[in-house]
Amino acid sequence: MRDIERGQDAQIDALIQVIIQVDPDILVLQGVDYDLELRALSALRDRVSAAGSHYPHVFARRPNTGWQTGHDQDGDGRLGEPEDAHGFGHFAGMGGMAILSRFALDETRVQDFSTLLWRDLPGATLPQRDGQPFPSAAAQAALRLASVAHWGVPVQHPDGPLYLMAFHATAPVFDGPEDRNGLRNRDQLRFWPLYLDGAFGPAPERRFVLVGSANQDPQDGEGLKEGIRELLSDPRLTDPHPMRAGPAPDAAGHRTDPRLDTVAWPTPDPGHLRVSYILPSKDWQVVASGVHWPPDDTPAGATAAAASRHRMVWVDLRAPED
């Protein structure tokens, strides 16, 4: 809040410039700390508005990050650490999600699946070590599936309703031989096809868009690939394959087209990967798409890098005909 209001923070200034340049109608932000009255988010929105892009509607719910489970989730014998929360966080609400929108959001019909327990996901694969639940059966009985959040948010678009499905999956690393984060990442991505199947109640059949950080590349980097591949091949979804304009540096050993990459992690490991996605339902017409990644040696490229190591992914859609 202090840094937003002072107007002297280089990262916030760069973020605002990127938002202005891309100018989306609906923006899903990741890594935004949560506060109960959304004061910080509203202050950020006000600064963006002052710069020229107006978002009268903001939305966020308390994320699972930093929300302690009361159990030793990483098996190190200590309680109350960031790793022992439902999602990694030094404090409750650290690094949550938020939505800025030019169109009204129907908060009375929001579906928040963030409290769903991991073990309650159909077909869940929970970690084991030496044939026993890891770190314990009690810890698994308390842990939620979402490390940040899984939301379904109705948007009142002037051309008809739009259903926004937003998420942020955990990184599939920072664990041990039990692969608890890799397994959880895969199941967090498996949630969405199950949701569209109706496994958790009524689900939209058309005019929906899935937006989020999967923390998973379909070909490169660590992690279990089945979850992201199943999501990208779901017949109800369209992958527009957003790309940056112009050439992109190729990484040795990487198979994904580097123009599809959305994050600049240090090279060579993990390196640049595709981890952020916008997947509209099949009935939308994709007009255009891209990754806002100007050349690194340009002022715009320096601004994008200062805003975040993640680059903004955008998709321009035309409403389906009724």
Side-chain angles (χ1 to χ4, degrees):
M1 186 70 161
R2 177 201 63 197
D3 294 340
I4 291 171
E5 291 187 336
R6 280 183 178 176
Q8 299 176 353
D9 186 277
Q11 182 184 22
I12 294 172
D13 291 345
L15 170 64
I16 292 171
Q17 290 184 54
V18 169
I19 294 173
I20 297 299
Q21 291 166 10
V22 180
D23 198 30
D25 290 326
I26 302 171
L27 174 62
V28 177
L29 288 171
Q30 307 283 6
V32 181
D33 295 341
Y34 173 82
D35 64 82
L36 181 62
E37 296 178 330
L38 306 187
R39 294 189 180 188
L41 179 61
S42 297
L44 177 62
R45 181 272 311 275
D46 292 345
R47 283 203 54 195
V48 173
S49 294
S53 287
H54 302 285
Y55 295 98
H57 307 283
V58 299
F59 175 84
R61 289 272 179 91
R62 180 177 175 175
N64 285 335
T65 49
W67 193 328
Q68 286 293 322
T69 66
H71 295 270
D72 175 17
Q73 291 292 344
D74 60 350
D76 67 356
R78 297 187 293 270
L79 285 176
E81 297 180 304
E83 298 86 354
D84 298 325
H86 291 288
F88 183 92
H90 293 281
F91 56 88
M94 173 181 168
M97 300 194 311
I99 298 173
L100 304 181
S101 176
R102 294 198 169 115
F103 313 117
L105 308 174
D106 188 352
E107 298 192 32
T108 64
R109 296 194 300 118
V110 168
Q111 292 181 292
D112 189 348
F113 299 100
S114 304
T115 60
L116 175 72
L117 295 178
W118 183 4
R119 69 176 185 176
D120 290 340
L121 182 79
T125 305
L126 301 177
Q128 293 190 346
R129 186 178 289 183
D130 300 325
Q132 299 297 318
F134 179 87
S136 68
Q140 290 187 359
L143 187 62
R144 297 173 178 178
L145 173 67
S147 48
V148 181
H150 283 121
W151 296 337
V153 182
V155 180
Q156 298 174 354
H157 193 279
D159 291 335
L162 180 160
Y163 199 75
L164 185 68
M165 298 155 14
F167 73 102
H168 189 149
T170 190
V173 290
F174 310 119
D175 52 17
E178 80 290 339
D179 198 21
R180 62 188 179 92
N181 289 335
L183 293 170
R184 193 177 180 199
N185 173 276
R186 181 177 65 182
D187 276 352
Q188 288 171 346
L189 301 181
R190 287 184 55 245
F191 168 85
W192 291 111
L194 289 168
Y195 166 70
L196 292 175
D197 289 342
F200 310 103
E205 297 181 355
R206 59 192 304 271
R207 296 180 67 97
F208 58 86
V209 183
L210 179 61
V211 182
S213 172
N215 253 320
Q216 188 60 266
D217 186 295
Q219 298 191 84
D220 300 318
E222 296 189 45
L224 304 171
K225 304 301 181 183
E226 300 96 318
I228 188 61
R229 290 175 180 173
E230 178 184 356
L231 199 58
L232 294 177
S233 63
D234 191 297
R236 295 162 293 194
L237 298 170
T238 297
D239 181 4
H241 293 92
M243 292 185 177
R244 71 168 83 179
D250 200 3
H254 279 206
R255 291 169 291 175
T256 296
D257 187 331
R259 294 175 298 171
L260 292 167
D261 290 340
T262 65
V263 63
W265 279 315
T267 56
D269 186 25
H272 295 188
L273 297 171
R274 185 188 186 197
V275 298
S276 297
Y277 299 87
I278 301 177
L279 305 175
S281 55
K282 284 289 188 181
D283 50 326
W284 290 100
Q285 179 182 348
V286 177
V287 178
S289 65
V291 178
H292 181 72
W293 199 322
D296 295 334
D297 57 355
T298 65
T303 297
S308 173
R309 59 190 174 193
H310 294 269
R311 302 303 192 265
M312 189 184 292
V313 181
W314 60 270
V315 173
D316 194 2
L317 300 174
R318 180 170 295 146
E321 296 182 2
D322 292 323

